[in-house]
Amino acid sequence: MGRKFIVGGNWKCNGTVDEVKKIVSTLNAGDVPSGDVVEVVVSPPFVFLPLVKGSLRTDFHVAAQNCWVKKGGAFTGEISAEMLLNLEVPWVILGHSERRALLNESNEFVGDKVAYALSKGLKVIACVGETLEQRESGSTMEVVAAQTKAIAEKISDWTNVVLAYEPVWAIGTGKVATPDQAQEVHSELRSWLQAHISPEVAASTRIMYGGSVSGANCKELAAKPDVDGFLVGGASLKPDLHAPNQKLRETIVPSAKSYPLDAIMKDCKDYFLETGRRVSFEYTLLAGVNDGAEHAKELAELIHEWGPGYHVNLIPFNPIEGSEYQRPYKKAVQAFVAALESRKVTVSVRQTRGLDASAACGQLRNEFQKSPLQPDSNKPQAQLDVAAIAC
């Protein structure tokens, strides 16, 4: 019998009550294959587990993001496996790279946590993966094998274990392992299971991929024979951008007027200063709304406050049937491009066809490789990661 595909959403330390309700509503309305084809697991922060558990569709499951290594007691701030069972939460994520790195969770400690959670009846998504330094040194499989070995030494039954390979260098960075890179590690990890556990465990254990998975790369990754699913981080917090026409008309297009550029730029600057990640820009042009030369000048001036090296991808928005908003004429787009380029901002134009909600929103993308920012000694080193939506 084939391995059932599994998709997990790790919301990390994000969300408010209202935001969680919106995400759950989007999930509940999703058109997803039946549970015998794909398994869906969402992992909100602990404080939202009861809310999500109580409102999420019944064919989706809920996971905790961590649990303690033993029974509860004098362990301030921890959550025990018994508490999760009491809330009827069936899954838990253990060994995530952020906990290994930030909280110094060792391979052995993660192995103990996996064993205890399984002993109490929880299903476990156990994370393994290498850093960029380890990959570049050629020790990827050595690292991943050691992490898996620490788990294997503590358990005998792999029925309720799903492994999640998450190359640390591809988590939240916008970088992603190529499908071939992901398949190579998944295949070698399965070979390790066959050699050190059993052929049966190797054949049946599902191995998820978790490193900046998005709608843009998931199809090609999923086609690989040893990729059995995805553990999605930040992208799991974003609602489906391919929305129906009415939603476009009511929520997307009016944002061009309601969210001024200086507010967008301030949010991006705050994010950059907080995280050190690079911001790129996708700017959706709407005829008579934000396609004038004065808008190009405003955009360029705001960009130059950040220093050199920026690029803008223009998206002339196609008209929505029955909408007052129209795609700008070719000459208007050319004038906008000329105005930006005259102010030393590099530009590309991405044409759209039909009701491309993704383009209209300026979907977060990472394929536009920019020249690096000039580092400022008083600011964090920038890394390409995030795109600003400038409708």
Side-chain angles (χ1 to χ4, degrees), residues 8 49 66 89 120 151 163 187 201 213 222 244 260 268 272 278 292 294 299 316 364 373:
L49 281 171
N66 179 52
V89 173
K120 296 304 171 182
I151 296 170
L163 293 176
S187 176
V201 167
V213 178
C268 293
F272 167 66
R278 178 66 186 277
E294 68 275 15
L299 179 60
L364 301 186
L373 282 173

Side-chain angles (χ1 to χ4, degrees), residues 30 37 140 149-150 167 180 192 207 283:
V37 176
T140 293
K149 181 174 181 288
D180 287 341
W192 188 94
I207 306 176
Y283 187 96

Side-chain angles (χ1 to χ4, degrees), residues 166-246:
E166 43 165 20
V168 181
W169 49 272
I171 298 176
T173 64
K175 298 179 180 179
V176 61
T178 66
D180 287 341
Q181 286 175 321
Q183 168 59 23
E184 179 184 16
V185 177
H186 281 229
S187 176
E188 291 192 29
L189 183 52
R190 199 174 302 284
S191 296
W192 188 94
L193 291 173
Q194 179 170 340
H196 295 85
I197 311 299
S198 74
E200 293 75 21
V201 167
S204 61
T205 299
R206 292 177 290 179
I207 306 176
M208 310 166 79
Y209 172 76
S212 293
V213 178
S214 69
N217 59 35
C218 65
K219 185 175 181 180
E220 191 174 0
L221 283 164
K224 295 301 180 181
D226 289 297
V227 175
D228 303 314
F230 303 120
L231 183 58
V232 186
S236 68
L237 296 166
K238 302 179 180 69
D240 184 6
L241 294 178
H242 295 278
N245 297 1
Q246 187 61 31

Side-chain angles (χ1 to χ4, degrees), residues 241-314:
L241 294 178
H242 295 278
N245 297 1
Q246 187 61 31
K247 183 177 180 182
L248 278 171
R249 193 174 296 117
E250 292 177 354
T251 64
I252 295 174
V253 176
S255 69
K257 292 184 176 179
S258 64
Y259 197 9
L261 271 176
D262 57 350
I264 293 174
M265 296 293 286
K266 181 181 183 301
D267 286 348
C268 293
K269 187 172 184 178
D270 290 345
Y271 185 88
F272 167 66
L273 292 175
E274 178 182 349
T275 66
R277 293 175 179 169
R278 178 66 186 277
V279 179
S280 59
F281 298 93
E282 292 198 345
Y283 187 96
T284 302
L285 290 173
L286 304 177
V289 177
N290 65 343
D291 64 335
E294 68 275 15
H295 297 105
K297 179 180 179 181
E298 178 188 8
L299 179 60
E301 288 176 350
L302 290 167
I303 287 175
H304 284 312
E305 290 182 6
W306 290 53
Y310 284 94
H311 179 92
V312 173
N313 188 49
L314 294 179

Side-chain angles (χ1 to χ4, degrees), residues 245-246 249 319-326 355:
N245 297 1
Q246 187 61 31
R249 193 174 296 117
I320 299 174
E321 184 179 354
S323 171
E324 62 181 292
Y325 302 104
Q326 299 293 313
L355 299 174

Side-chain angles (χ1 to χ4, degrees), residues 28-260:
N28 288 344
D31 183 12
V32 179
S34 63
D36 59 347
V37 176
V38 62
E39 190 167 10
V40 177
V41 181
V42 298
S43 185
F46 286 119
V47 293
F48 299 128
L49 281 171
L51 170 61
V52 175
K53 174 70 177 176
S55 55
L56 189 67
R57 53 194 284 180
T58 57
D59 56 332
F60 289 0
H61 305 290
V62 177
Q65 296 178 15
N66 179 52
C67 71
W68 184 232
V69 70
K70 57 179 72 174
K71 188 177 180 179
F75 308 108
T76 301
E78 289 295 338
I79 305 293
S80 70
E82 290 84 356
M83 292 175 182
L84 298 180
L85 291 169
N86 185 249
L87 291 176
E88 297 183 341
V89 173
W91 285 89
V92 63
I93 298 172
L94 295 174
H96 193 280
S97 63
E98 290 160 358
R99 297 192 62 86
R100 290 178 186 265
L102 299 176
L103 300 174
N104 297 316
E105 292 193 355
S106 66
N107 292 347
E108 292 71 24
F109 187 62
V110 172
D112 287 337
K113 291 171 74 172
V114 171
Y116 188 78
L118 290 173
S119 74
K120 296 304 171 182
L122 290 173
K123 299 179 180 179
V124 175
I125 297 174
C127 302
V128 298
E130 84 283 11
T131 65
L132 181 60
E133 182 181 6
Q134 289 165 339
R135 168 162 282 274
E136 290 179 341
S137 69
S139 57
T140 293
M141 272 315 301
E142 180 182 343
V143 171
V144 172
Q147 293 168 339
T148 308
K149 181 174 181 288
I151 296 170
E153 289 176 342
K154 302 294 175 64
I155 69 173
S156 57
D157 186 354
W158 286 74
T159 306
N160 290 324
V161 177
V162 175
L163 293 176
Y165 167 60
E166 43 165 20
V168 181
W169 49 272
I171 298 176
T173 64
K175 298 179 180 179
V176 61
T178 66
D180 287 341
Q181 286 175 321
Q183 168 59 23
E184 179 184 16
V185 177
H186 281 229
S187 176
E188 291 192 29
L189 183 52
R190 199 174 302 284
S191 296
W192 188 94
L193 291 173
Q194 179 170 340
H196 295 85
I197 311 299
S198 74
E200 293 75 21
V201 167
S204 61
T205 299
R206 292 177 290 179
I207 306 176
M208 310 166 79
Y209 172 76
S212 293
V213 178
S214 69
N217 59 35
C218 65
K219 185 175 181 180
E220 191 174 0
L221 283 164
K224 295 301 180 181
D226 289 297
V227 175
D228 303 314
F230 303 120
L231 183 58
V232 186
S236 68
L237 296 166
K238 302 179 180 69
D240 184 6
L241 294 178
H242 295 278
N245 297 1
Q246 187 61 31
K247 183 177 180 182
L248 278 171
R249 193 174 296 117
E250 292 177 354
T251 64
I252 295 174
V253 176
S255 69
K257 292 184 176 179
S258 64
Y259 197 9

